[in-house]
């Protein structure tokens, strides 16, 4: 579902150089040289980032960016994704791209019930049939798309800086988040964690680093959630 397309080269080094610059009398080239000293320099960068995250001074983390592509995502979930405003998005347009193939997402709660599934598929197939009829009879795609359900699959490319990704993981990695957007968060985390572990270690829903923020709506499984995220997503 999620593919990491591109990201800032040496994100941890980039963040560390920016952070050190704020408190150093040395020039940028000298600071860069210090952190680019192989494994020794990388370890320095990671220790600095750990202090930054502990102190909460996370603005420098914004210097690292990650661009991802998501496929087989419903329009219902993509509408949740684009609510994260500190990001850039490019999504396949239903105005210019005709949805001639009935590709759509089926929730597990429906897929696991034969009666529900038959009625669900029939309803969507009827919608696509009418959609195709309208297109064939000259109705513009931008008008015919009004029929299309939230279940229709879409494709979207988005870019977030590392600080916004931390926020995204906090909100959408929670068990209380809608299942489809939660899967996007979990897959994104698995992709970016190995690239910048000092940035993303300890990220995830509130219960990973403290108490659950959901109050009476808690999933009741903070230990399991915490273990999955602290293992770099290996437990998802």
């Amino acid at each position: 579902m999620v593919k990491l397309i591109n990201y800032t080269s040496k994100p941890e080094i980039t963040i560390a150089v920016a952070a050190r610059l704020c408190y150093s009398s040395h020039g940028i080239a000298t600071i860069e040289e210090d952190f680019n000293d192989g494994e020794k320099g990388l370890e320095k960068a990671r220790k600095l980032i750990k202090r930054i995250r502990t102190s909460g001074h996370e603005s420098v983390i914004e210097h690292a960016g990650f661009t991802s592509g998501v496929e087989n995502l419903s329009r219902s979930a993509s509408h949740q994704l684009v609510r994260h405003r500190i990001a850039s998005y490019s999504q396949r347009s239903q105005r210019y791209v005709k949805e001639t193939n009935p590709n759509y997402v089926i929730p597990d709660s429906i897929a696991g019930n034969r009666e529900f599934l038959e009625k669900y598929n029939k309803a969507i197939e009827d919608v696509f049939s009418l959609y195709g009829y309208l297109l064939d009879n000259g109705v513009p795609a931008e008008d015919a798309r009004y029929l299309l359900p939230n279940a229709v699959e879409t494709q979207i490319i988005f870019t977030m800086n590392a600080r916004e990704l931390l926020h995204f993981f906090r909100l959408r990695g929670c068990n209380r988040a809608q299942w489809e957007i939660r899967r996007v968060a979990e897959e994104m985390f698995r992709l970016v964690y190995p690239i910048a572990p000092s940035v993303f270690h300890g990220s995830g829903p509130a219960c990973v680093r403290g108490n659950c923020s959901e109050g009476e709506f808690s999933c009741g499984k903070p230990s399991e959630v915490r273990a999955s995220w602290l293992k770099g997503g290996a437990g998802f």
Side-chain angles (χ1 to χ4, degrees):
M1 179 185 283
V2 182
K3 178 182 180 181
L4 186 60
I5 297 175
N6 208 344
Y7 57 89
T8 301
S9 177
K10 299 180 180 178
E12 292 169 310
I13 301 297
T14 300
I15 292 169
V17 170
R20 178 67 58 79
L21 178 66
C22 297
Y23 302 98
S24 175
S25 60
H26 296 294
I28 295 174
T30 301
I31 298 172
E32 273 189 295
E33 185 177 354
D34 186 37
F35 285 117
N36 278 310
D37 184 20
E39 288 299 320
K40 183 179 178 181
L42 181 58
E43 185 58 30
K44 285 183 183 179
R46 287 175 172 172
K47 287 181 178 179
L48 177 56
I49 292 171
K50 182 178 180 180
R51 293 201 302 272
I52 290 168
R53 292 199 61 202
T54 300
S55 69
H57 297 162
E58 296 183 337
S59 62
V60 292
I61 295 177
E62 296 173 15
H63 290 292
F66 298 81
T67 298
S68 304
V70 186
E71 296 180 308
N72 310 121
L73 186 72
S74 74
R75 277 274 174 165
S76 177
S78 72
H79 289 340
Q80 296 177 71
L81 178 60
V82 299
R83 290 177 66 187
H84 291 266
R85 295 184 295 277
I86 307 176
S88 299
Y89 301 97
S90 298
Q91 185 171 12
R92 187 175 66 194
S93 171
Q94 289 182 338
R95 183 182 183 194
Y96 297 109
V97 180
K98 296 179 180 179
E99 300 285 358
T100 53
N101 295 315
N103 296 318
Y104 53 93
V105 173
I106 305 174
D108 291 342
S109 61
I110 295 174
N113 183 298
R114 178 178 294 180
E115 180 184 357
F116 293 171
L117 181 60
E118 288 179 356
K119 292 180 180 296
Y120 183 87
N121 286 336
K122 177 65 165 56
I124 292 183
E125 287 167 6
D126 286 346
V127 167
F128 271 100
S129 177
L130 177 54
Y131 173 81
Y133 170 81
L134 295 177
L135 292 179
D136 291 343
N137 286 276
V139 174
E142 65 177 17
D143 293 338
R145 65 176 170 163
Y146 278 71
L147 281 169
L148 298 176
N150 281 334
V152 173
E153 288 185 356
T154 188
Q155 298 181 31
I156 188 168
I157 291 175
F158 67 96
T159 300
M160 290 183 180
N161 65 52
R163 191 182 191 184
E164 179 60 15
L165 272 176
L166 293 174
H167 179 248
F168 180 69
F169 295 150
R170 180 181 176 86
L171 295 183
R172 304 302 185 173
C174 177
N175 274 0
R176 290 283 299 169
Q178 188 262 349
W179 64 270
E180 200 176 359
I181 197 71
R182 186 174 69 247
R183 288 180 186 175
V184 172
E186 292 170 351
E187 289 189 32
M188 270 298 304
F189 178 69
R190 280 197 292 261
L191 291 170
V192 301
Y193 182 86
I195 296 168
S198 65
V199 176
F200 296 110
H201 179 74
S203 63
C207 63
V208 174
R209 304 188 71 163
N211 296 322
C212 175
S213 59
E214 294 297 309
E216 63 179 297
F217 299 107
S218 171
C219 71
K221 301 177 181 179
S223 297
E224 294 178 24
V225 174
R226 187 179 302 117
S228 295
W229 284 84
L230 290 177
K231 290 178 182 178
F236 295 146

